[in-house]
Amino acid sequence: MAIFIRRVLQAGMKIENTSMKNPKLHSRFSSAVQRKVIEGTNGEKILRSPYGAIITYPEMSISEYVWATLDNYSNMDAAVCGVTGRKYTYGQVRDGANNVARSLLNMGVQAGEVVAVALPNLPESPIAFLGCIEAGIIVTTVNHMYTADEILRQLVSSGAKAIITAAEIASTVMSAASKHKPDMKVIVVDDSTKPLPEGVIPFADLIAKGESLPPVPERQWSPDDVAVLPYSSGTTGLPKGVMLTHRNLVSNVEMIKQTGNELFTPAHGSYQENIPVVLPLYHIYGMSTIMLARMSIGSKLITLPKFTPESCVKVLDEHKVTSLVLVPPMVMFLSITKLTQSKYLDNVSNIISGAAPLSETDVEKFYNKYKVDRNKVKFCQGYGLTECSPVALFETTGTKYSSIGKPVKGCDVRLVDPVTRKDVDGPGCTGEIWIRGPHVMKGYLNNQKATDETIINGWLLTGDIAYYDDNLDFYVTDRLKELIKVKGFQVAPAELEALLRTHPDVEEAGVIGIPDERYGEVPRAFVVLKNAAKLQPEDLQNFVKGKVTEFKELRGGVKFIDSLPKNPSGKILRAQLKKNYC
């Protein structure tokens, strides 16, 4: 990785993966792949989805889209808590969301304003989310594992008027909310973990009292109105609010379903898909590909508020799971744990992995452990990012385990040399993935500079490096991004560096990601101390530990150095840090 990034930094050098300079691939470019390439007006080599274009998308709000076929399964279970067994039918979720919408409007929150939702995976999570959407309120999803300072930062950035959370973390949320606005409304779901604190609004009251309130009024709206505001660091920097519209999210769910339609079976008769919800619903991956996509076809969601080996196995044992949507660390856990049995996969027809690369070796370990029929249980990978709602490429055949697949229906892709900004030649040549389609975000909230750097003439620059083969299957090889991927979650080096600099004995700090077998990557800090400072590396690890979420901790350690490598403008050369010290 260090060698590759160093090449990127050398001006004028073309990006290529020398191991893929296969003359056979290039000789066939004029036939098989060339038919899939459209020449743009400025010489762009635009790779159109082999699944075709989607001519029209439903002109619906997200909530209308999710409930479009509700009558087919209104009496079926929609969400079941995998720990307590607490559950709601689709009809109850629909009515509950409508009552929440009425209550929020009655409390003074207006359409177009922001409500934060900081919930673990609970059966009430879809009710809260869809209730906000139905009222025309923008949802900013917050990592429920955040510290009070991290929550406060997002509340301030998004301008949230209220926050919905759970009893287990209510005290942390209340601390952040009171610093944001002393009178901020804190709404709390009773998750059976702790008593509800004084001064909060019970979420159950929103549902119970909403029924007697006036209906949600008709209002003027557009599919291009912002609906959801998750936070992402983009290719670098501090977290930014990603403005996703109704069109972005609805179109991407359609693109996913029409690309891998055999992976999505709508509820019918007495049949219903059973999907464990292990991925956090505050993250775009869980929010869109599980909650929105699966609820729109009547799947039963079995929610787990946190991932533990015991709770995961309990769900697999007690429910006839039909599909697994995971990230690589979860796949690896299932491949090595002694707690699971092959019978748990008896009803599983597909396993989808995303958020970080999964190797062919990892998939082989899984198959070898469970001895399942590879034709019966299909293993697929997808690729995307928050800024494209999120899915851009999807491997649906289950035959190319290390590939992220082809562009989903309706998505255009280019591979661009990040130095020359010219499209690469063809199969086997690496470049940065650029994406275009109706699923690309509206932009970053209150940050036009970052938006203009990330979206150029309608193309979303992903910061990920890939090549494609003669069948238009893509393979990610590296990242231009300086983000660190820990268990599939983004960690921004700049955020940790800023935190380290608040320590009185730290002069400067640079943070990079280093490989880790369990986590994928972990942050490692390189620190320049002030004169006469007498710190130990573990002192700084502990300093950070109490101020950030668990996955952001400096598990890669701290190293003291004399100076940080920088470019003439003073920017830390993190690639050089990797070269010098890793």
Side-chain angles (χ1 to χ4, degrees):
M1 179 180 289
I3 294 173
F4 182 83
I5 296 176
R6 189 164 67 253
R7 287 178 180 167
V8 174
L9 296 173
Q10 294 173 352
M13 179 170 285
K14 185 169 183 177
I15 306 302
E16 64 179 18
N17 183 342
T18 54
S19 65
M20 285 302 302
K21 290 175 67 176
N22 186 333
K24 292 183 179 179
L25 285 177
H26 292 287
S27 68
R28 295 199 301 271
F29 177 60
S30 59
S31 55
V33 171
Q34 193 170 29
R35 292 194 297 270
K36 304 165 187 172
V37 177
I38 305 296
E39 290 286 342
T41 54
N42 296 313
E44 306 97 334
K45 296 181 174 66
I46 302 170
L47 296 141
R48 293 284 170 84
S49 170
Y51 300 100
I54 299 179
I55 306 303
T56 59
Y57 300 91
E59 295 281 315
M60 297 178 176
S61 70
I62 295 167
S63 54
E64 288 174 327
Y65 179 79
V66 169
W67 304 129
T69 55
L70 174 68
D71 290 345
N72 297 337
Y73 37 79
S74 62
N75 293 324
M76 290 184 172
D77 288 339
V80 180
C81 179
V83 177
T84 67
R86 188 171 71 257
K87 63 183 179 180
Y88 300 90
T89 66
Y90 268 91
Q92 289 172 327
V93 173
R94 173 70 190 93
D95 291 342
N98 179 257
N99 291 343
V100 167
R102 297 184 190 196
S103 292
L104 289 172
L105 293 172
N106 185 65
M107 288 164 50
V109 184
Q110 299 179 27
E113 293 184 328
V114 177
V115 166
V117 175
L119 287 171
N121 292 350
L122 301 174
E124 291 82 7
S125 298
I127 301 176
F129 182 93
L130 293 167
C132 292
I133 297 296
E134 188 166 347
I137 292 166
I138 298 169
V139 179
T140 186
T141 49
V142 181
N143 184 339
H144 62 278
M145 297 183 292
Y146 271 179
T147 64
D149 287 345
E150 290 170 316
I151 294 171
L152 175 61
R153 193 155 51 238
Q154 187 165 333
L155 295 180
V156 172
S157 172
S158 65
K161 302 296 183 182
I163 186 165
I164 302 174
T165 189
E168 185 177 17
I169 57 171
S171 60
T172 301
V173 169
M174 291 173 72
S175 174
S178 64
K179 293 176 183 176
H180 176 43
K181 294 181 179 179
D183 60 346
M184 187 174 190
K185 296 177 175 66
V186 178
I187 302 158
V188 181
V189 175
D190 184 353
D191 57 6
S192 303
T193 61
K194 295 180 179 179
L196 269 60
E198 291 186 9
V200 303
I201 302 170
F203 183 74
D205 285 1
L206 270 63
I207 297 176
K209 296 177 181 178
E211 192 169 359
S212 60
L213 293 172
V216 176
E218 293 287 332
R219 61 184 178 84
Q220 292 292 321
W221 75 284
S222 164
D224 295 315
D225 288 344
V226 177
V228 183
L229 192 65
Y231 272 66
S232 166
S233 297
T235 56
T236 187
L238 295 171
K240 298 174 281 290
V242 179
M243 297 188 291
L244 298 181
T245 67
H246 294 275
R247 188 189 307 278
N248 291 155
L249 288 158
V250 169
S251 65
N252 195 234
V253 171
E254 280 291 298
M255 294 159 86
I256 299 166
K257 285 158 63 172
Q258 293 190 38
T259 297
N261 55 9
E262 72 280 4
L263 306 177
F264 299 86
T265 304
H268 59 279
S270 61
Y271 177 80
Q272 185 181 29
E273 289 188 336
N274 296 327
I275 315 292
V277 187
V278 184
L279 301 178
L281 294 177
Y282 68 77
H283 190 278
I284 189 67
Y285 184 12
M287 178 204 309
S288 182
T289 64
I290 299 181
M291 182 170 68
L292 300 182
R294 299 292 178 167
M295 289 190 75
S296 72
I297 60 172
S299 302
K300 178 167 68 176
L301 307 185
I302 306 138
T303 61
L304 283 173
K306 63 182 68 173
F307 177 82
T308 65
E310 294 76 18
S311 63
C312 179
V313 171
K314 180 176 183 285
V315 166
L316 293 174
D317 187 30
E318 295 180 358
H319 298 268
K320 294 181 178 179
V321 172
T322 57
S323 179
L324 292 171
V325 186
L326 307 171
V327 291
M330 295 175 185
V331 175
M332 292 176 219
F333 160 74
L334 291 172
S335 298
I336 62 175
T337 180
K338 296 180 180 179
L339 298 174
T340 56
Q341 302 176 41
S342 295
K343 68 177 184 178
Y344 295 161
L345 302 184
D346 283 350
N347 297 286
V348 173
S349 61
N350 59 81
I351 300 166
I352 299 170
S353 180
L358 189 67
S359 72
E360 185 170 351
T361 303
D362 297 326
V363 179
E364 290 293 343
K365 286 180 181 177
F366 185 92
Y367 276 129
N368 291 337
K369 173 179 170 59
Y370 291 100
K371 305 293 191 294
V372 292
D373 185 344
R374 296 174 189 236
N375 294 317
K376 178 189 173 189
V377 181
K378 190 181 294 186
F379 220 116
C380 307
Q381 274 203 89
Y383 167 85
L385 54 163
T386 305
E387 288 81 352
C388 66
S389 309
V391 182
L393 296 105
F394 200 5
E395 205 295 304
T396 63
T397 68
T399 59
K400 291 188 173 182
Y401 305 139
S402 58
S403 172
I404 57 172
K406 298 174 171 63
V408 294
K409 190 167 186 175
C411 177
D412 293 340
V413 175
R414 292 165 59 194
L415 287 185
V416 178
D417 184 316
V419 175
T420 66
R421 289 290 170 92
K422 300 293 185 183
D423 292 54
V424 302
D425 290 337
C429 294
T430 58
E432 182 184 7
I433 302 173
W434 288 23
I435 294 165
R436 183 176 68 180
H439 54 326
V440 171
M441 68 170 179
K442 194 169 189 173
Y444 292 119
L445 178 70
N446 300 326
N447 197 333
Q448 192 60 46
K449 180 177 183 293
T451 300
D452 292 341
E453 290 171 350
T454 305
I455 302 177
I456 297 178
N457 297 325
W459 290 94
L460 174 68
L461 283 62
T462 69
D464 288 311
I465 303 297
Y467 68 90
Y468 60 89
D469 64 21
D470 200 47
N471 292 314
L472 204 66
D473 286 304
F474 281 70
Y475 301 80
V476 172
T477 62
D478 225 313
R479 287 208 305 273
L480 285 175
K481 298 177 181 180
E482 293 179 335
L483 291 177
I484 305 163
K485 280 286 190 78
V486 182
K487 290 185 173 181
F489 296 110
Q490 295 179 345
V491 177
E495 180 180 0
L496 291 175
E497 290 163 357
L499 177 57
L500 285 164
R501 288 195 300 271
T502 66
H503 192 286
D505 293 326
V506 171
E507 183 73 38
E508 292 183 302
V511 176
I512 62 170
I514 62 170
D516 182 87
E517 185 174 344
R518 180 180 177 188
Y519 292 89
E521 284 186 306
V522 291
R524 172 177 289 176
F526 297 87
V527 173
V528 179
L529 294 175
K530 292 181 180 178
N531 292 336
K534 295 181 179 179
L535 284 182
Q536 297 300 316
E538 55 268 24
D539 294 333
L540 287 179
Q541 286 180 284
N542 291 330
F543 173 77
V544 168
K545 188 174 184 179
K547 296 175 175 61
V548 298
T549 315
E550 177 267 343
F551 65 81
K552 296 181 184 178
E553 293 174 6
L554 296 173
R555 294 182 181 276
V558 175
K559 288 191 174 183
F560 297 140
I561 58 177
D562 294 331
S563 63
L564 293 173
K566 297 178 182 179
N567 69 6
S569 65
K571 181 181 178 181
I572 297 172
L573 298 176
R574 297 190 181 93
Q576 195 69 28
L577 275 176
K578 288 192 175 186
K579 175 189 174 185
N580 293 348
Y581 299 103
C582 296

